[in-house]
Amino acid sequence: MTELEKRPAPTRPGAARRAAGALLGYAAVRALGLVALALWSAARDKSAYPLLTARWDSLWYARVAANGYGYQVRLPNGDVHSDLAFFPLLPWLERLGAALTPLSHADAGFVVGALASLAAAWGIFAVGDHVYGRRAGLCLVLLWAVLPVGIVQSMAYSESLFTALAAWSLYAVLTRRWLTAGTLALLAGLTRPVGLAVAAAVWAAGVAAFVRTRGPAAAPGAPATGRAPGEGARCALGLLLAPLGAAGYVLWVGHRTGGGPFGYLDVQAGWRNGFDGGWAFARFVAAMFTSFPSALAGLGLTAGVALVIWLYVVGVRRRLPLPLLVYTGVVTALALCASGYFGSKPRLLLPAFPLLLPLAAALARRRTARSAAVLGVLAVASALYGAFWLNGSGPP
């Protein structure tokens, strides 16, 4: 048993008090982003709210919530955009919200996103606190909030919901709560295709725990490595549950489309989306260097990818817990190696919050005034960029 696993989890009232500062800070950053968006939109004689609830993917989710699956659009070039590409948990929650309240499906999606973002912030804090302590947990939450595309956390999108489920599943794994971890991984798998990353993290931790308990006996005076009574059965059940959400939806899509186990891949192909190891993305970035103005964007993209890879390597070198490394590695690989929607990659990396742990630990070691100043500048920059982005091209 590692030192991380031996650290007791706070009780529920204690956990809420411990996370209060992180949640208040997170809410303040998100409020700043929404205020900036409202002011920027008003200056352009536009309403900010539809940008959050009635454009891009949020329209597809609300349509599924209202009418179920079966809608598709055939483009002039022959591509078919089917709503089967969108996993069902967010539309289910939107439908439930609209049924229980006077809200529309889009409004319910906004409420779900707002509540899920707070749950995600709490889960991220719990993970950071468990690994590096309370101050690092606070910095980790605020770094996640001030990401350049952090405004997506306030949209009727599935990123916040998925991140909440992933973060709490990872925390459950770190604290050896296998049934909770497996159940949350199942729900994450019903939220986004990358839910398989959460299942992979649960499996990696479960297998590692099994290997440790079957290893050589501990020396006298060393920490015990055995399981608690009944933990083996709970671990096995958690591992069984973890992949069922993603696997179940993918198999259902295959049955509905007649495409068999690979039917979901055919649906994604209709959106020109797939997995090619990053070859198409590399060509996209390389093409930017053919002219001067776009070369600056190419340099920015290259630097961003290099930063992501460097942060992951730092996490490996610092021996972050195995489930965090597995989860982050899968999320990052799927985001960077997808063959389509290159502008979506920053958004697809939003759930990879453990990448920020080395930065959070570094900020936590600085004086409070210095850390606050850095985070404050980043919060303002994120709010302005989010307002500019949503009033322009926005998230594809």
Side-chain angles (χ1 to χ4, degrees):
M1 188 182 296
T2 66
E3 290 298 320
L4 291 176
E5 290 166 338
K6 290 191 298 178
R7 186 182 300 170
T11 60
R12 289 182 181 179
R17 288 193 298 270
R18 191 172 180 85
L23 295 179
L24 288 173
Y26 177 79
V29 173
R30 290 274 47 82
L32 176 63
L34 292 175
V35 168
L37 176 63
L39 294 175
W40 195 298
S41 300
R44 295 167 57 90
D45 294 324
K46 295 171 65 175
S47 172
Y49 188 66
L51 299 177
L52 300 169
T53 61
R55 287 185 70 184
W56 307 292
D57 288 4
S58 57
L59 290 173
W60 288 88
Y61 285 119
R63 188 180 288 114
V64 172
N67 306 314
Y69 286 103
Y71 179 79
Q72 64 182 31
V73 175
R74 185 174 295 275
L75 303 184
N77 64 357
D79 289 346
V80 176
H81 288 185
S82 168
D83 59 9
L84 291 170
F86 297 89
F87 276 51
L89 186 57
L90 177 57
W92 287 348
L93 294 176
E94 290 179 345
R95 183 178 298 177
L96 179 64
L100 298 179
T101 69
L103 297 175
S104 68
H105 293 99
D107 294 338
F110 178 75
V111 172
V112 169
L115 295 176
S117 70
L118 287 172
W122 192 353
I124 290 170
F125 169 81
V127 172
D129 181 22
H130 188 82
V131 176
Y132 283 134
R134 183 178 185 178
R135 187 177 172 90
L138 170 63
C139 292
L140 181 63
V141 169
L142 295 179
L143 283 172
W144 188 67
V146 303
L147 288 172
V149 295
I151 190 64
V152 174
Q153 299 162 16
S154 299
M155 298 178 67
Y157 266 46
S158 61
E159 273 76 11
S160 290
L161 178 61
F162 174 79
T163 305
L165 294 167
W168 282 111
S169 180
L170 292 170
Y171 179 71
V173 166
L174 294 175
T175 53
R176 300 169 72 103
R177 299 172 181 179
W178 300 105
L179 286 177
T180 300
T183 301
L184 292 173
L186 185 156
L187 293 174
L190 288 170
T191 308
R192 297 187 63 80
V194 74
L196 289 173
V198 189
V202 174
W203 270 78
V207 171
F210 176 82
V211 170
R212 282 198 302 272
T213 59
R214 294 297 183 270
T225 59
R227 297 176 188 267
E231 185 179 350
R234 293 192 296 273
C235 180
L237 185 54
L239 266 61
L240 179 64
L241 289 171
L244 292 184
Y249 181 69
V250 167
L251 291 175
W252 178 80
V253 170
H255 174 74
R256 182 182 175 106
T257 62
F262 303 104
Y264 184 76
L265 297 180
D266 295 334
V267 170
Q268 286 284 10
W271 287 79
R272 294 290 180 99
N273 202 10
F275 188 87
D276 66 352
W279 174 243
F281 183 46
R283 287 186 297 155
F284 172 77
V285 174
M288 289 185 163
F289 289 93
T290 57
S291 62
F292 173 71
S294 64
L296 296 177
L299 285 173
L301 273 176
T302 303
V305 171
L307 175 62
V308 167
I309 295 173
W310 177 76
L311 287 173
Y312 186 77
V313 171
V314 171
V316 172
R317 289 178 174 174
R318 294 191 178 180
R319 295 178 175 270
L320 289 181
L322 177 64
L324 298 186
L325 293 176
V326 170
Y327 167 77
T328 308
V330 175
V331 172
T332 302
L334 290 177
L336 295 182
C337 297
S339 60
Y341 291 92
F342 305 119
S344 298
K345 295 192 182 298
R347 175 172 65 87
L348 297 179
L349 284 167
L350 264 181
F353 68 89
L355 285 172
L356 301 171
L357 271 168
L359 297 179
L363 269 180
R365 293 192 294 267
R366 301 295 185 267
R367 293 182 178 178
T368 300
R370 182 173 299 180
S371 298
V374 170
L375 290 168
V377 170
L378 291 176
V380 171
S382 174
L384 293 176
Y385 179 76
F388 164 77
W389 188 43
L390 289 198
N391 277 279
S393 61

